[in-house]
mmCIF file of all heavy atoms in Angstrom:
data_model
loop_
_atom_site.group_PDB
_atom_site.id
_atom_site.type_symbol
_atom_site.label_atom_id
_atom_site.label_comp_id
_atom_site.label_asym_id
_atom_site.label_seq_id
_atom_site.Cartn_x
_atom_site.Cartn_y
_atom_site.Cartn_z
ATOM 1 N N ASP A 1 -15.073 4.356 13.778
ATOM 2 C CA ASP A 1 -15.316 5.467 12.860
ATOM 3 C C ASP A 1 -14.135 5.663 11.914
ATOM 4 O O ASP A 1 -14.324 5.915 10.711
ATOM 5 C CB ASP A 1 -15.573 6.761 13.652
ATOM 6 C CG ASP A 1 -16.882 6.728 14.424
ATOM 7 O OD1 ASP A 1 -17.737 5.864 14.118
ATOM 8 O OD2 ASP A 1 -17.044 7.556 15.344
ATOM 9 N N ALA A 2 -12.913 5.537 12.465
ATOM 10 C CA ALA A 2 -11.717 5.685 11.637
ATOM 11 C C ALA A 2 -11.623 4.563 10.606
ATOM 12 O O ALA A 2 -11.242 4.794 9.451
ATOM 13 C CB ALA A 2 -10.466 5.705 12.513
ATOM 14 N N ILE A 3 -11.998 3.348 11.009
ATOM 15 C CA ILE A 3 -11.993 2.226 10.069
ATOM 16 C C ILE A 3 -13.002 2.456 8.954
ATOM 17 O O ILE A 3 -12.705 2.266 7.766
ATOM 18 C CB ILE A 3 -12.301 0.905 10.814
ATOM 19 C CG1 ILE A 3 -11.156 0.544 11.763
ATOM 20 C CG2 ILE A 3 -12.538 -0.233 9.817
ATOM 21 C CD1 ILE A 3 -11.485 -0.588 12.709
ATOM 22 N N ALA A 4 -14.203 2.876 9.325
ATOM 23 C CA ALA A 4 -15.248 3.103 8.326
ATOM 24 C C ALA A 4 -14.871 4.205 7.356
ATOM 25 O O ALA A 4 -15.170 4.137 6.161
ATOM 26 C CB ALA A 4 -16.563 3.428 9.017
ATOM 27 N N ALA A 5 -14.180 5.254 7.861
ATOM 28 C CA ALA A 5 -13.762 6.349 6.993
ATOM 29 C C ALA A 5 -12.671 5.909 6.027
ATOM 30 O O ALA A 5 -12.665 6.297 4.853
ATOM 31 C CB ALA A 5 -13.279 7.526 7.839
ATOM 32 N N ALA A 6 -11.749 5.083 6.527
ATOM 33 C CA ALA A 6 -10.639 4.648 5.686
ATOM 34 C C ALA A 6 -11.023 3.488 4.776
ATOM 35 O O ALA A 6 -10.596 3.426 3.614
ATOM 36 C CB ALA A 6 -9.455 4.247 6.567
ATOM 37 N N PHE A 7 -11.830 2.566 5.306
ATOM 38 C CA PHE A 7 -12.224 1.362 4.571
ATOM 39 C C PHE A 7 -13.760 1.299 4.530
ATOM 40 O O PHE A 7 -14.373 0.647 5.384
ATOM 41 C CB PHE A 7 -11.692 0.098 5.252
ATOM 42 C CG PHE A 7 -10.202 0.030 5.415
ATOM 43 C CD1 PHE A 7 -9.594 0.504 6.574
ATOM 44 C CD2 PHE A 7 -9.401 -0.524 4.425
ATOM 45 C CE1 PHE A 7 -8.223 0.430 6.738
ATOM 46 C CE2 PHE A 7 -8.021 -0.605 4.581
ATOM 47 C CZ PHE A 7 -7.429 -0.123 5.730
ATOM 48 N N PRO A 8 -14.405 1.971 3.593
ATOM 49 C CA PRO A 8 -15.878 1.973 3.562
ATOM 50 C C PRO A 8 -16.486 0.580 3.548
ATOM 51 O O PRO A 8 -17.582 0.366 4.081
ATOM 52 C CB PRO A 8 -16.187 2.735 2.264
ATOM 53 C CG PRO A 8 -14.992 3.597 2.033
ATOM 54 C CD PRO A 8 -13.819 2.806 2.533
ATOM 55 N N GLN A 9 -15.776 -0.387 2.964
ATOM 56 C CA GLN A 9 -16.295 -1.746 2.909
ATOM 57 C C GLN A 9 -16.379 -2.389 4.293
ATOM 58 O O GLN A 9 -17.028 -3.427 4.459
ATOM 59 C CB GLN A 9 -15.454 -2.608 1.958
ATOM 60 C CG GLN A 9 -13.993 -2.777 2.353
ATOM 61 C CD GLN A 9 -13.075 -1.691 1.823
ATOM 62 O OE1 GLN A 9 -13.346 -0.506 2.003
ATOM 63 N NE2 GLN A 9 -11.995 -2.097 1.166
ATOM 64 N N LEU A 10 -15.738 -1.779 5.307
ATOM 65 C CA LEU A 10 -15.762 -2.312 6.677
ATOM 66 C C LEU A 10 -16.675 -1.487 7.587
ATOM 67 O O LEU A 10 -16.621 -1.630 8.815
ATOM 68 C CB LEU A 10 -14.344 -2.339 7.262
ATOM 69 C CG LEU A 10 -13.340 -3.246 6.547
ATOM 70 C CD1 LEU A 10 -11.981 -3.193 7.254
ATOM 71 C CD2 LEU A 10 -13.840 -4.687 6.484
ATOM 72 N N SER A 11 -17.517 -0.661 7.012
ATOM 73 C CA SER A 11 -18.357 0.217 7.829
ATOM 74 C C SER A 11 -19.374 -0.545 8.671
ATOM 75 O O SER A 11 -19.927 0.005 9.623
ATOM 76 C CB SER A 11 -19.077 1.234 6.941
ATOM 77 O OG SER A 11 -19.899 0.566 5.988
ATOM 78 N N GLY A 12 -19.615 -1.824 8.349
ATOM 79 C CA GLY A 12 -20.568 -2.602 9.127
ATOM 80 C C GLY A 12 -19.966 -3.354 10.300
ATOM 81 O O GLY A 12 -20.683 -4.056 11.025
ATOM 82 N N LEU A 13 -18.674 -3.212 10.540
ATOM 83 C CA LEU A 13 -18.051 -3.928 11.662
ATOM 84 C C LEU A 13 -18.624 -3.473 12.996
ATOM 85 O O LEU A 13 -18.867 -2.279 13.214
ATOM 86 C CB LEU A 13 -16.536 -3.697 11.663
ATOM 87 C CG LEU A 13 -15.702 -4.327 10.543
ATOM 88 C CD1 LEU A 13 -14.232 -4.012 10.767
ATOM 89 C CD2 LEU A 13 -15.917 -5.838 10.469
ATOM 90 N N LYS A 14 -18.805 -4.436 13.893
ATOM 91 C CA LYS A 14 -19.254 -4.147 15.251
ATOM 92 C C LYS A 14 -18.215 -4.690 16.234
ATOM 93 O O LYS A 14 -17.535 -5.683 15.949
ATOM 94 C CB LYS A 14 -20.605 -4.805 15.538
ATOM 95 C CG LYS A 14 -21.711 -4.405 14.579
ATOM 96 C CD LYS A 14 -22.068 -2.941 14.706
ATOM 97 C CE LYS A 14 -23.227 -2.593 13.784
ATOM 98 N NZ LYS A 14 -23.531 -1.143 13.808
ATOM 99 N N PRO A 15 -18.093 -4.093 17.413
ATOM 100 C CA PRO A 15 -17.190 -4.652 18.419
ATOM 101 C C PRO A 15 -17.746 -5.960 18.963
ATOM 102 O O PRO A 15 -18.948 -6.084 19.209
ATOM 103 C CB PRO A 15 -17.132 -3.574 19.491
ATOM 104 C CG PRO A 15 -18.411 -2.813 19.337
ATOM 105 C CD PRO A 15 -18.750 -2.856 17.880
ATOM 106 N N ALA A 16 -16.878 -6.946 19.129
ATOM 107 C CA ALA A 16 -17.296 -8.245 19.658
ATOM 108 C C ALA A 16 -16.724 -8.501 21.053
ATOM 109 O O ALA A 16 -17.435 -8.961 21.943
ATOM 110 C CB ALA A 16 -16.866 -9.361 18.707
ATOM 111 N N ARG A 17 -15.434 -8.234 21.236
ATOM 112 C CA ARG A 17 -14.781 -8.451 22.531
ATOM 113 C C ARG A 17 -13.795 -7.314 22.768
ATOM 114 O O ARG A 17 -13.118 -6.856 21.848
ATOM 115 C CB ARG A 17 -14.033 -9.795 22.555
ATOM 116 C CG ARG A 17 -14.920 -11.004 22.348
ATOM 117 C CD ARG A 17 -14.137 -12.307 22.465
ATOM 118 N NE ARG A 17 -12.980 -12.371 21.582
ATOM 119 C CZ ARG A 17 -13.033 -12.690 20.293
ATOM 120 N NH1 ARG A 17 -14.201 -12.983 19.729
ATOM 121 N NH2 ARG A 17 -11.946 -12.736 19.559
ATOM 122 N N LEU A 18 -13.688 -6.907 24.007
ATOM 123 C CA LEU A 18 -12.818 -5.800 24.398
ATOM 124 C C LEU A 18 -11.982 -6.243 25.585
ATOM 125 O O LEU A 18 -12.501 -6.843 26.520
ATOM 126 C CB LEU A 18 -13.669 -4.579 24.784
ATOM 127 C CG LEU A 18 -12.957 -3.379 25.403
ATOM 128 C CD1 LEU A 18 -12.145 -2.631 24.352
ATOM 129 C CD2 LEU A 18 -13.986 -2.437 26.049
ATOM 130 N N TRP A 19 -10.688 -5.950 25.563
ATOM 131 C CA TRP A 19 -9.848 -6.313 26.696
ATOM 132 C C TRP A 19 -8.628 -5.410 26.753
ATOM 133 O O TRP A 19 -8.369 -4.624 25.842
ATOM 134 C CB TRP A 19 -9.426 -7.786 26.636
ATOM 135 C CG TRP A 19 -8.543 -8.148 25.474
ATOM 136 C CD1 TRP A 19 -7.174 -8.170 25.457
ATOM 137 C CD2 TRP A 19 -8.961 -8.548 24.161
ATOM 138 N NE1 TRP A 19 -6.722 -8.565 24.220
ATOM 139 C CE2 TRP A 19 -7.795 -8.805 23.411
ATOM 140 C CE3 TRP A 19 -10.210 -8.732 23.557
ATOM 141 C CZ2 TRP A 19 -7.844 -9.219 22.079
ATOM 142 C CZ3 TRP A 19 -10.253 -9.137 22.233
ATOM 143 C CH2 TRP A 19 -9.082 -9.384 21.511
ATOM 144 N N ALA A 20 -7.881 -5.533 27.821
ATOM 145 C CA ALA A 20 -6.664 -4.737 28.009
ATOM 146 C C ALA A 20 -5.597 -5.614 28.632
ATOM 147 O O ALA A 20 -5.872 -6.695 29.153
ATOM 148 C CB ALA A 20 -6.939 -3.525 28.887
ATOM 149 N N GLY A 21 -4.372 -5.139 28.575
ATOM 150 C CA GLY A 21 -3.259 -5.868 29.168
ATOM 151 C C GLY A 21 -2.195 -4.921 29.657
ATOM 152 O O GLY A 21 -2.228 -3.711 29.396
ATOM 153 N N TRP A 22 -1.258 -5.499 30.388
ATOM 154 C CA TRP A 22 -0.100 -4.744 30.870
ATOM 155 C C TRP A 22 1.133 -5.228 30.115
ATOM 156 O O TRP A 22 1.505 -6.389 30.190
ATOM 157 C CB TRP A 22 0.090 -4.947 32.373
ATOM 158 C CG TRP A 22 -0.937 -4.264 33.214
ATOM 159 C CD1 TRP A 22 -1.989 -4.854 33.855
ATOM 160 C CD2 TRP A 22 -1.024 -2.874 33.497
ATOM 161 N NE1 TRP A 22 -2.729 -3.913 34.525
ATOM 162 C CE2 TRP A 22 -2.164 -2.674 34.328
ATOM 163 C CE3 TRP A 22 -0.265 -1.749 33.137
ATOM 164 C CZ2 TRP A 22 -2.541 -1.428 34.800
ATOM 165 C CZ3 TRP A 22 -0.647 -0.501 33.603
ATOM 166 C CH2 TRP A 22 -1.772 -0.354 34.427
ATOM 167 N N ILE A 23 1.754 -4.334 29.357
ATOM 168 C CA ILE A 23 2.929 -4.664 28.545
ATOM 169 C C ILE A 23 4.176 -4.444 29.388
ATOM 170 O O ILE A 23 4.492 -3.312 29.771
ATOM 171 C CB ILE A 23 2.977 -3.774 27.288
ATOM 172 C CG1 ILE A 23 1.721 -3.990 26.439
ATOM 173 C CG2 ILE A 23 4.231 -4.056 26.481
ATOM 174 C CD1 ILE A 23 1.578 -2.981 25.316
ATOM 175 N N ASP A 24 4.887 -5.516 29.709
ATOM 176 C CA ASP A 24 6.092 -5.383 30.528
ATOM 177 C C ASP A 24 7.260 -4.954 29.646
ATOM 178 O O ASP A 24 7.526 -5.542 28.607
ATOM 179 C CB ASP A 24 6.401 -6.667 31.272
ATOM 180 C CG ASP A 24 6.769 -7.828 30.374
ATOM 181 O OD1 ASP A 24 5.938 -8.200 29.516
ATOM 182 O OD2 ASP A 24 7.887 -8.349 30.512
ATOM 183 N N SER A 25 7.944 -3.895 30.072
ATOM 184 C CA SER A 25 8.954 -3.262 29.235
ATOM 185 C C SER A 25 10.271 -3.107 29.969
ATOM 186 O O SER A 25 10.319 -3.041 31.202
ATOM 187 C CB SER A 25 8.467 -1.880 28.787
ATOM 188 O OG SER A 25 7.240 -1.973 28.082
ATOM 189 N N THR A 26 11.345 -3.007 29.180
ATOM 190 C CA THR A 26 12.670 -2.678 29.692
ATOM 191 C C THR A 26 13.051 -1.289 29.190
ATOM 192 O O THR A 26 12.425 -0.764 28.261
ATOM 193 C CB THR A 26 13.717 -3.694 29.218
ATOM 194 O OG1 THR A 26 13.816 -3.627 27.783
ATOM 195 C CG2 THR A 26 13.356 -5.105 29.654
ATOM 196 N N PRO A 27 14.082 -0.664 29.762
ATOM 197 C CA PRO A 27 14.445 0.693 29.337
ATOM 198 C C PRO A 27 14.810 0.815 27.865
ATOM 199 O O PRO A 27 14.594 1.873 27.262
ATOM 200 C CB PRO A 27 15.636 1.032 30.237
ATOM 201 C CG PRO A 27 15.409 0.230 31.468
ATOM 202 C CD PRO A 27 14.817 -1.064 30.982
ATOM 203 N N ASP A 28 15.368 -0.226 27.253
ATOM 204 C CA ASP A 28 15.735 -0.148 25.840
ATOM 205 C C ASP A 28 14.787 -0.941 24.944
ATOM 206 O O ASP A 28 15.034 -1.102 23.748
ATOM 207 C CB ASP A 28 17.172 -0.600 25.614
ATOM 208 C CG ASP A 28 17.440 -2.042 26.043
ATOM 209 O OD1 ASP A 28 16.499 -2.706 26.545
ATOM 210 O OD2 ASP A 28 18.576 -2.508 25.880
ATOM 211 N N ALA A 29 13.679 -1.433 25.519
ATOM 212 C CA ALA A 29 12.637 -2.170 24.780
ATOM 213 C C ALA A 29 13.169 -3.441 24.132
ATOM 214 O O ALA A 29 12.594 -3.935 23.164
ATOM 215 C CB ALA A 29 11.962 -1.283 23.736
ATOM 216 N N VAL A 30 14.230 -3.993 24.661
ATOM 217 C CA VAL A 30 14.787 -5.273 24.224
ATOM 218 C C VAL A 30 14.698 -6.223 25.416
ATOM 219 O O VAL A 30 14.983 -5.833 26.551
ATOM 220 C CB VAL A 30 16.247 -5.114 23.745
ATOM 221 C CG1 VAL A 30 16.914 -6.460 23.510
ATOM 222 C CG2 VAL A 30 16.280 -4.280 22.457
ATOM 223 N N PRO A 31 14.298 -7.472 25.202
ATOM 224 C CA PRO A 31 14.080 -8.370 26.343
ATOM 225 C C PRO A 31 15.361 -8.781 27.049
ATOM 226 O O PRO A 31 16.473 -8.633 26.515
ATOM 227 C CB PRO A 31 13.407 -9.584 25.696
ATOM 228 C CG PRO A 31 13.871 -9.569 24.276
ATOM 229 C CD PRO A 31 13.965 -8.120 23.909
#
């Protein structure tokens, strides 16, 4: 909905694939 509101030309987009992950982090966000 946010994409369609901001970019009317993309209002026809449909979801194709959905996934999630675990982002491994350090206290200062530097590896």
